[in-house]
Amino acid sequence: MSEPVRPSYLIKGARLVGAAPTDLLLRDGAVVATGSGLDGRGAEVVDAAGLVALPGLVDLHTHLREPGREDAETVESGSRAAALGGYTAVCAMANTSPVADTAGVVEQVWRLGREAGLVDVQPVGAVTVGLAGERLAELGAMATSAARVRIFSDDGHCVADPRLMRRALEYVKAFDGIIAQHAEEPRLTEGAQMHEGEVSTRLGLTGWPAVAEEAIIARDVLLAEHVGSRLHVCHVSTAGSVEVLRQAKARGVRVTAEVTPHHLLLTDELAGSYDPVYKVNPPLRTAADVAVLRAALAEGIIDVVATDHAPHALEDKECEWAYARPGMVGLETALPVLLHVLTESTARGLDDPALWELVAERMSRTPARIAGLTEHGRDPALGVPANITLVDPAARRTVDPAELASRSRNTPYAGRTLPGRIVATFLHGEPTVLDGKAVR
Ligand code: DOR
Ligand code: ZN
C-alpha cells in the first residue's frame, strides 16, 4: 500500500517579517517553494493578502491540567486554544495530578499531545517529587524518556531550599537542561492575596512583596553562575527583578526570563474590584512595574513573552477572593494583548516591520531556542519546517469568554477590544486553524 498523499497548501501573498509579500508552498511538513506567482497546482490555496506570516508562536509556560483536572482543561482543549492563539508549540507545566515528576507522566502528556495533533506539546518535568520541595525528582529518567524533557520546574511552587536548587542546577548541566524557577520566597508570602503596596493597604488584603520574587532571583542567578548552569525565571513581575536580571546578564550568567501578557498590561488597582479573575501568582503589580517590564522586554533583559495560561474551573474562580485559585487563561489572547501593549508603549504602528520583528523574536524564535525546539521558531523559508501563523494586523476583536476554546473562562480581558486576528495556523505543513476557526 502506498502512503496517503498529504495535501499541499499554497499561502498567497503573505508578508514575511521584514520582507516583501511572497507565496509559500507547503508540502510534507516543510516550505518547498517561495516566490511570487507560484504555481500551486493541486494545492489548496490560502489567500494571505495583507496578512503577516510569523514563525509559529511558542509558549514556554502553559498549564494544561491533564492528568487530574480535565474539567478545567485537557491536553486537547488546551492545544486547540493554543492553535487558535497562533501557537505551534507549548511547554506543559508539571503541576498536574499526579504531578509530572516521572518518565511515565511526562510520556503520557507527550503522547496525549501527539494524539491531539494541534500543537507540539513539550512536557516540563517537576524539579522535586510531588512539587513538595524535599527530594529531587527523576530528572535523568524524564530527560531520556520519549518526551525528552529539557526544562524542569516546580511552577506554582518555588524551589525554596537553596541546596536542592543547587543540586538541580548541577544535575541538568550534564545535558544542558534548564531549571525554570517560580521565584517566590514562601516565608515572605504567607497568606498573601495581592501585591504588597498602597492598594493592598487600602483594601486590607495581605500583601505579596516584590522582594519575595527579587530575593529568589538574586539567589538563583548566583547559584546558576556558581554551577555554570542554565536558569530560566518564570513570570517576572517587578522592576527590581529586572534590575537583578540586568546585572546578571551583564556578568554573563546563563539566565533567561519571561513576562506574561497580563503583567505587561494589568495593575494591582484591579484587585479593588474584588473580582478573582484578577487574582494571579505572581500578583498584578503597579503601573511603575508595568512600565519597567515593557522597557525590559523591548531591550531584551526579558527574553520572551510566556502566557502562564492557567485555566480554572468555575467553582475555583467564582468565589470569594481569598478562596479563589490564582491564574488566568491566556493562550487565545496573548498575541493581541502584546500587539496592544507594543503599539501603546513603543509608538510603533501595526504596519511597522520593527514591531513584528520584536513579536517574532519574543514569542517564537527565542522561546523555541530556549526550549531547544529546533523545528519551531524559524521564519518561513525554503526547506524550513512549516510551522507558521498568519495574522491580520488590520482586524480588531472583542474578547468574548463564551467563544474561548479553553474549557475554562477565567479571562481578565472579557469585553476588551484588542488588535490583530489570528487567521490561520499551520503545524508541520497542515492547518490547525483556518479563517480564524479550529480545523478540528
Ligand atoms: O497564577 C498562577 N497559576 N501562578 C502559578 O504559578 C500557577 C498557576 C496555576 O497552576 O494555576
Ligand atoms: Zn508560576
Side-chain angles (χ1 to χ4, degrees), residues 152-188:
F152 297 88
S153 181
D154 272 5
D155 181 63
H157 301 265
C158 182
V159 180
D161 179 343
R163 197 164 71 119
L164 261 183
M165 186 63 182
R166 176 188 177 173
R167 282 182 44 213
L169 286 164
E170 283 170 349
Y171 200 104
V172 300
K173 192 181 176 187
F175 49 88
D176 209 28
I178 300 180
I179 304 296
Q181 177 71 294
H182 169 119
E184 172 182 0
E185 168 50 67
R187 297 283 286 152
L188 293 174

Side-chain angles (χ1 to χ4, degrees), residues 148-225:
R148 297 176 47 83
V149 176
R150 287 293 174 276
I151 303 178
F152 297 88
S153 181
D154 272 5
D155 181 63
H157 301 265
C158 182
V159 180
D161 179 343
R163 197 164 71 119
L164 261 183
M165 186 63 182
R166 176 188 177 173
R167 282 182 44 213
L169 286 164
E170 283 170 349
Y171 200 104
V172 300
K173 192 181 176 187
F175 49 88
D176 209 28
I178 300 180
I179 304 296
Q181 177 71 294
H182 169 119
E184 172 182 0
E185 168 50 67
R187 297 283 286 152
L188 293 174
T189 62
E190 274 168 34
Q193 294 294 329
M194 65 172 295
H195 172 66
E196 180 181 293
E198 267 173 54
V199 184
S200 67
T201 307
R202 183 168 12 108
L203 299 178
L205 291 173
T206 308
W208 197 130
V211 69
E213 174 172 309
E214 295 151 5
I216 292 292
I217 300 176
R219 180 200 78 175
D220 286 354
V221 295
L222 292 174
L223 286 173
E225 184 172 28

